[in-house]
């Protein structure tokens, strides 16, 4: 006899566990199945985000930034710090503690919300009685029956053809977050979000870092002005970024690896490294889901096909997060999870794809929401632009971090904000104001007329909004 639930969620990452909590809040009986194991074989809820993604990467970025500051910026404050060393083992152990706190926190949240958790792999067995039978294969075997199924099985790192991850020398994000020592020479393939964040961590700790990027443009999805400023800042920090390369054979050398590639001029090159991180995007994960048993439709990329409401081709089966179309971001997965739970309850779940913020947690941080200047040009939208440099912001000067700017793009006629692009200190936090403004269809003038605390970095946001109307006060 199967255990009965109103809603069964397969996957306990940000898409899945949040969907499970929201469904339980709405009064459903809910099961959440997740197969991730910690190093003792126990559950480790939170998916890629918590275990080998957002959280551990930010922990290492923080540690490495402290190290960098102690070595390079304390002196300007009059602080002498000599003989500063980094214990990589301790840094990684701290990161593991942060991860575990999050794993345990999510387990507690499921319990608090009366979500029944099953540790193991969930797979479709068959459709039955207006619902679906789901098998859980873990330490024990369970059979569940659910009226609604939410699939939130996430994504996996994409490997280079012919160079599978061994997590020793050829690393995915998993191995990149577990290095036990600073590699002397580190190579990365792909100068996207992971390439830049992970490259920054190990560069700050002393690696000689080279990033090989296939495309001729740097950060093509980012506003061109921001991408240009970022490229300048990263190369100044010593990250070597080669654009427009074609990666060829990767061979094991005596100690590390040798990467053959062709540079943008078409010249044959070789890069010798101790470790290689491959960060060329991620692929949706439906491994072991047995989607064929019920005829769940996948696209040519292996993503589950869903409509705008996250409904699949099967009645009562929904899918959210990295396993479906759209940006692979934790907060996008969460928003979809909440919306689906609400739709199951007959409510109007809401996800606004136009106001999903992006953040790259490098130094300087990069954050944006809405359209870039190049997108507005392509779309033929008449717009006004205004920007304000952190160099002219008192708080940024006091912090000692004046790189970058805030840039507003607003409709030429209505003044509605169409995009906000930030590169600089705490861009990750500053972007929230722009998201709220865009969600409420604010104009640039609305932001310009709002009182912002002094001295704060957010004054740069206000000034950039004023700049749209060519009336900055402090620049
Ligand atoms: P996942 O988090 O991948 O969770 C899926 C879960 O389902 C996993 O626990 C998996 O074990 C489980 N599962 C899969 N199949 C089954 C099955 N059949 N049965 C049971 N369980 C199953 N995003 C951000 O927004 N901000 C960031 O700063 C950020 N940093 C990142 C850094 C790195 C290095 C990486 C790799 C990603 C980062 N991301 C970031 C992306 C973010 O991690 C993902 O977008 C997010 O985790 C997607 O959530 P999800 O719930 O869809 O899937
Ligand atoms: P990405 O899509 O951000 O970047 C991949 C890069 O690799 C691109 O620039 C692409 O042109 C390049 N590339 C692809 N194939 C190549 C090849 N064969 N040779 C050379 N270059 C090649 O993917 P990434 O960095 O792997 O991250 C995956 C996803 O994880 C991100 O898109 C994002 O959704 C998520 N993520 C989000 C973070 C955040 O929000 N701060 C942090 C890290 C990851």
């Amino acid at each position: 006899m199967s255990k009965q639930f109103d809603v069964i969620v397969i996957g306990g990452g940000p898409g899945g566990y949040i969907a499970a909590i929201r469904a339980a809040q709405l009064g459903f009986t809910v099961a959440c199945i997740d197969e991730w194991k910690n190093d003792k074989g126990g559950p480790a809820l939170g998916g890629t985000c918590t275990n080998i993604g957002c959280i551990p990467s930010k922990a290492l970025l923080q540690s490495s930034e402290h190290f960098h500051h102690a070595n390079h910026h304390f002196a300007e404050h009059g602080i002498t710090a000599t003989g500063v060393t980094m214990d990589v083992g301790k840094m990684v152990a701290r990161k593991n503690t942060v991860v575990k706190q999050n794993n345990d926190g999510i387990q507690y949240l499921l319990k608090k919300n009366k979500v029944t958790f099953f540790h193991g792999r969930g797979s479709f067995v068959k459709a039955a009685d207006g619902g679906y039978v789901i098998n859980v294969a873990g330490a024990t075997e369970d059979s569940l029956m659910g009226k609604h199924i939410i699939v939130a099985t996430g994504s996996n790192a994409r490997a280079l053809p012919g160079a599978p991850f061994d997590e020793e020398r050829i690393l995915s994000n998993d191995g990149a977050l577990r290095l036990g020592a600073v590699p002397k020479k580190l190579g990365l393939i792909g100068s996207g979000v992971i390439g830049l964040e992970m490259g920054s961590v190990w560069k700050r700790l002393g690696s000689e870092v080279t990033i090989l990027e296939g495309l001729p443009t740097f950060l093509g999805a980012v506003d061109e002005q921001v991408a240009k400023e970022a490229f300048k800042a990263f190369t100044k920090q010593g990250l070597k970024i080669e654009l427009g390369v074609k990666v060829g054979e990767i061979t094991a050398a005596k100690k590390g690896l040798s990467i053959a590639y062709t540079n943008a001029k078409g010249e044959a090159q070789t890069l010798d490294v101790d470790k290689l991180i491959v960060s060329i995007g991620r692929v949706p994960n439906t491994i072991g889901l047995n989607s064929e048993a019920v005829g769940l439709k996948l696209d040519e990329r292996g993503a589950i096909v869903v409509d705008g409401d996250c409904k699949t081709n099967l009645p009562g089966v929904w899918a959210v997060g990295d396993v479906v179309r759209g940006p692979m971001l934790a907060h996008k997965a969460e928003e979809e999870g909440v919306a689906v739970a609400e739709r199951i309850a007959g409510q109007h779940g809401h996800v606004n794809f136009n106001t999903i913020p992006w953040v790259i947690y490098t130094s300087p941080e990069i954050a944006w929401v809405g359209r870039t200047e190049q997108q507005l040009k392509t779309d033929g939208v008449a717009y006004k632009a205004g920007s304000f440099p952190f160099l002219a912001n008192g708080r940024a000067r006091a912090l000692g971090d004046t790189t970058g700017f805030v840039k507003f793009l607003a409709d030429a006629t209505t003044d509605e904000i169409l995009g906000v692009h930030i590169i600089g200190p705490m861009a990750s936090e500053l972007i929230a104001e722009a998201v709220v403004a865009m969600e409420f269809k604010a104009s640039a003038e609305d932001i310009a007329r709002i009182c912002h605390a002094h001295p704060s970095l957010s004054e740069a946001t206000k000034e950039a909004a004023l700049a749209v109307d060519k009336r900055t006060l402090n620049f």
Side-chain angles (χ1 to χ4, degrees):
M1 178 68 184
S2 303
K3 293 172 184 158
Q4 309 278 324
F5 293 92
D6 296 324
V7 179
I8 298 175
V9 184
I10 306 177
Y17 89 80
I18 287 290
I21 290 175
R22 185 69 189 119
Q25 285 175 346
L26 289 162
F28 295 113
T29 53
V30 184
C32 180
I33 309 166
D34 189 84
E35 65 178 347
W36 207 293
K37 287 187 185 138
N38 61 25
D39 45 8
K40 295 191 182 77
L45 275 156
T48 302
C49 168
T50 303
N51 292 296
I52 52 169
C54 323
I55 300 298
S57 59
K58 268 79 249 178
L60 295 190
L61 278 157
Q62 191 62 54
S63 299
S64 61
E65 192 161 5
H66 282 322
F67 181 68
H68 178 82
H69 275 272
N71 278 320
H72 300 283
H73 297 294
F74 276 14
E76 73 209 42
H77 294 267
I79 304 165
T80 308
T82 46
V84 177
T85 57
M86 170 55 90
D87 180 336
V88 173
K90 221 168 174 174
M91 174 184 79
V92 171
R94 174 189 175 273
K95 179 264 300 181
N96 292 342
T97 305
V98 174
V99 168
K100 187 167 183 319
Q101 285 164 343
N102 282 272
N103 294 143
D104 294 349
I106 297 166
Q107 203 158 351
Y108 161 78
L109 288 172
L110 291 189
K111 213 180 239 169
K112 181 183 150 200
N113 286 281
K114 302 194 173 44
V115 173
T116 311
F117 172 61
F118 293 89
H119 190 211
R121 174 167 286 186
S123 58
F124 283 100
V125 179
K126 60 178 180 183
D129 301 329
Y132 297 85
V133 178
I134 304 290
N135 181 67
V136 185
T140 58
E141 195 108 351
D142 274 290
S143 176
L144 317 183
M145 165 80 201
K147 286 184 213 146
H148 290 270
I149 311 297
I150 304 176
V151 182
T153 46
S155 63
N156 293 316
R158 183 196 306 280
L160 270 172
F165 297 117
D166 58 16
E167 304 298 0
E168 279 299 322
R169 282 192 278 195
I170 303 182
L171 315 172
S172 70
N173 53 297
D174 189 4
L177 291 160
R178 279 196 283 112
L179 281 172
V182 180
K184 199 165 172 296
K185 287 187 174 180
L186 175 67
L188 294 104
I189 314 276
S191 67
V193 198
I194 296 181
L196 291 172
E197 289 187 358
M198 287 298 98
S200 295
V201 167
W202 297 104
K203 172 82 195 86
R204 289 169 192 167
L205 299 182
S207 288
E208 194 182 304
V209 177
T210 306
I211 309 182
L212 302 178
E213 165 62 46
L215 290 177
T217 41
F218 179 63
L219 287 177
V222 173
D223 188 89
E224 270 169 14
Q225 211 181 330
V226 171
K228 215 166 136 197
E229 180 85 1
F231 191 80
K232 210 167 68 188
F234 296 147
T235 44
K236 197 169 154 203
Q237 287 164 18
L239 282 179
K240 278 191 221 138
I241 307 171
E242 277 211 51
L243 301 173
V245 311
K246 193 162 175 354
V247 175
E249 212 183 345
I250 298 176
T251 44
K254 214 175 189 181
K255 253 181 65 209
L257 294 160
S258 187
I259 303 147
Y261 69 98
T262 315
N263 69 13
K265 292 186 200 141
E267 298 159 344
Q269 305 284 320
T270 312
L271 174 69
D272 293 324
V273 297
D274 299 303
K275 304 274 180 190
L276 177 69
I277 299 172
V278 177
S279 47
I280 57 168
R282 299 179 62 80
V283 282
N285 169 40
T286 52
I287 300 166
L289 194 58
N290 199 24
S291 53
E292 319 78 62
V294 286
L296 183 64
K297 205 167 151 193
L298 309 183
D299 68 15
E300 61 292 346
R301 293 170 43 244
I304 296 176
V305 177
V306 288
D307 67 9
D309 284 348
C310 293
K311 274 187 189 143
T312 69
N313 64 313
L314 302 174
V317 180
W318 310 71
V320 301
D322 280 12
V323 77
V324 304
R325 84 289 171 260
M328 289 185 167
L329 295 173
H331 42 285
K332 176 266 193 180
E334 292 183 15
E335 291 301 301
E336 286 183 333
V338 168
V340 163
E342 293 178 351
R343 287 173 193 138
I344 292 173
Q347 300 182 2
H348 297 281
H350 160 92
V351 182
N352 183 353
F353 276 85
N354 298 324
T355 55
I356 294 176
W358 275 88
V359 179
I360 308 179
Y361 294 82
T362 42
S363 178
E365 289 187 344
I366 300 168
W368 72 97
V369 59
R371 281 184 279 179
T372 60
E373 199 162 346
Q374 61 268 27
Q375 278 173 328
L376 291 176
K377 281 184 185 149
T378 309
D379 296 348
V381 178
Y383 66 91
K384 300 176 285 181
S387 45
F388 187 83
F390 284 107
L391 200 61
N393 174 274
R395 184 74 194 281
R397 281 196 215 111
L399 285 173
D401 190 356
T402 52
T403 316
F405 53 85
V406 181
K407 172 172 170 178
F408 266 63
L409 298 168
D411 187 281
T413 316
T414 64
D415 197 37
E416 181 180 339
I417 302 166
L418 302 174
V420 177
H421 305 271
I422 308 176
I423 174 165
M426 299 308 263
S428 55
E429 300 296 331
L430 294 174
I431 200 67
E433 179 181 9
V435 176
V436 173
M438 284 186 64
E439 192 65 47
F440 284 92
K441 293 199 167 292
S443 63
E445 188 186 349
D446 286 329
I447 299 297
R449 285 189 181 277
I450 290 171
C451 180
H452 288 66
H454 176 78
S456 71
L457 296 170
S458 71
E459 286 174 293
T461 305
K462 179 187 169 114
E463 290 275 3
L466 281 165
V468 169
D469 203 24
K470 299 196 175 17
R471 55 187 188 100
T472 51
L473 297 164
N474 284 288
F475 186 61

